[in-house]
Amino acid sequence: MSTSASEISARIVEAVMAQKLAPGSRLGEQQLAMLFDCSRTIVREALTRLAARGIVTVSARRGWFVIEPSQEEAREAFEARRVIELGLIRSAGTTGKLDKKALRQLKAHLQREKAALKESDVGNRSFLLGDFHVCLAECLGNTLLADTLRDFTARTTLIAMLYQSTHDAVQSCEDHVQIVAALERGDHAAAEALMATHIGTVQSALRVQAPTDPLAQLRDALAPLQNTASTKPKRRKPSPSTNDPDSSTYLGALL
């Protein structure tokens, strides 16, 4: 039985969140069709959905690629996560404490995070740390925003890979533990503040350089050499023809 477009897109997002697909990775239609035992039409449908979600991009001649977010897109992605996640926690504060089932689900996720930190599977660790935010949105009762948050989490994972984040995974897990603890005791204001600090810490760990002159390298390469200024050849003025004293007649003949 062939794989559906939804399953293919979900697998690609999981691979991104596990840092197994780097920014700029090429996604060949034929290779994916062979891998998932399906037609290129289904693969193209999956990739088109991911393009609409901002995970991949397509070039008419080069094919499909995982996005490479710019610095401005990185800033917007983190800002979007702040709006969504802080808003979810704030809204949940109007309904009181989380129910026991949601707390069990969050604590089980934290246990998987802690176990992953002790193992060598970096991909699983990365996926679980990112998926915590999706799990939290689901436990707060908003599956629609959980799907949106999954896409933004995938994007910020790509951003962390592209800009070589120095954020500590152990600290990230500890932040998650504190957020859940605040929700468990019904202190949504503290949980919101902790989440804001957590997202800010992750963003500040990016090695984002100041904007540079895009023409700097070309400008330096094409700058005139200093030792050639004095040796520049001078143009010789053409001397009038001795055989034809009337130069205007000669030019007229040429024209």
Side-chain angles (χ1 to χ4, degrees):
M1 184 177 179
S2 64
T3 312
S4 68
S6 297
E7 291 171 324
I8 295 172
S9 58
R11 289 276 294 278
I12 291 174
V13 171
E14 287 177 3
V16 167
M17 291 177 65
Q19 298 188 3
K20 293 182 178 180
L21 278 176
S25 297
R26 189 175 186 278
L27 301 170
E29 290 183 8
Q30 186 60 40
Q31 289 85 349
L32 289 173
M34 293 172 62
L35 180 64
F36 290 106
D37 189 25
C38 63
S39 67
R40 291 181 63 176
T41 302
I42 293 177
V43 169
R44 198 174 298 116
E45 181 183 349
L47 294 174
T48 301
R49 292 180 185 179
L50 290 176
R53 293 163 59 181
I55 307 298
V56 305
T57 186
V58 63
S59 172
R61 295 185 178 181
R62 298 173 61 233
W64 300 88
F65 295 86
V66 178
I67 62 165
E68 295 180 274
S70 66
Q71 293 185 20
E72 180 61 20
E73 288 169 334
R75 185 194 63 77
E76 291 177 352
F78 277 99
E79 185 58 34
R81 283 190 54 181
R82 283 190 187 89
V83 172
I84 294 173
E85 299 193 59
L86 302 188
L88 279 171
I89 295 174
R90 193 179 308 122
S91 297
T94 62
T95 60
K97 294 183 179 181
L98 288 178
D99 59 45
K100 293 182 178 179
K101 181 180 179 181
L103 279 172
R104 284 197 302 269
Q105 186 175 344
L106 284 170
K107 288 183 177 181
H109 196 286
L110 292 176
Q111 290 301 318
R112 290 196 293 272
E113 285 186 27
K114 292 176 182 178
L117 289 173
K118 299 177 182 178
E119 300 172 354
S120 60
D121 190 344
V122 178
N124 185 46
R125 180 179 67 196
S126 174
F127 174 81
L128 287 170
L129 290 173
D131 193 54
F132 167 81
H133 298 269
V134 181
C135 179
L136 178 60
E138 292 173 341
C139 290
L140 291 175
N142 197 318
T143 55
L144 180 61
L145 283 179
D147 290 338
T148 302
L149 194 56
R150 181 178 288 105
D151 293 344
F152 279 114
T153 302
R155 284 194 221 181
T156 51
T157 299
L158 289 170
I159 290 164
M161 296 171 68
L162 187 61
Y163 295 104
Q164 300 177 343
S165 173
T166 59
H167 187 60
D168 183 17
V170 175
Q171 182 59 53
S172 187
C173 180
E174 180 58 31
D175 290 348
H176 296 169
V177 170
Q178 292 181 19
I179 292 167
V180 173
L183 290 172
E184 184 175 15
R185 61 178 183 267
D187 192 349
H188 290 77
E192 184 179 342
L194 287 166
M195 181 63 79
T197 301
H198 171 63
I199 295 175
T201 301
V202 174
Q203 184 176 8
S204 64
L206 301 176
R207 295 177 179 175
V208 179
Q209 298 179 350
T212 57
D213 181 3
L215 298 178
Q217 185 176 359
L218 185 61
R219 183 178 288 107
D220 291 342
L222 298 181
L225 300 178
Q226 294 180 358
N227 60 353
T228 61
S230 60
T231 60
K232 188 175 181 179
K234 296 181 179 180
R235 283 187 181 177
R236 296 179 60 185
K237 294 183 180 180
S239 57
S241 173
T242 56
N243 298 328
D244 189 357
D246 189 356
S247 60
S248 60
T249 304
Y250 178 71
L251 289 174
L254 286 177
L255 296 175

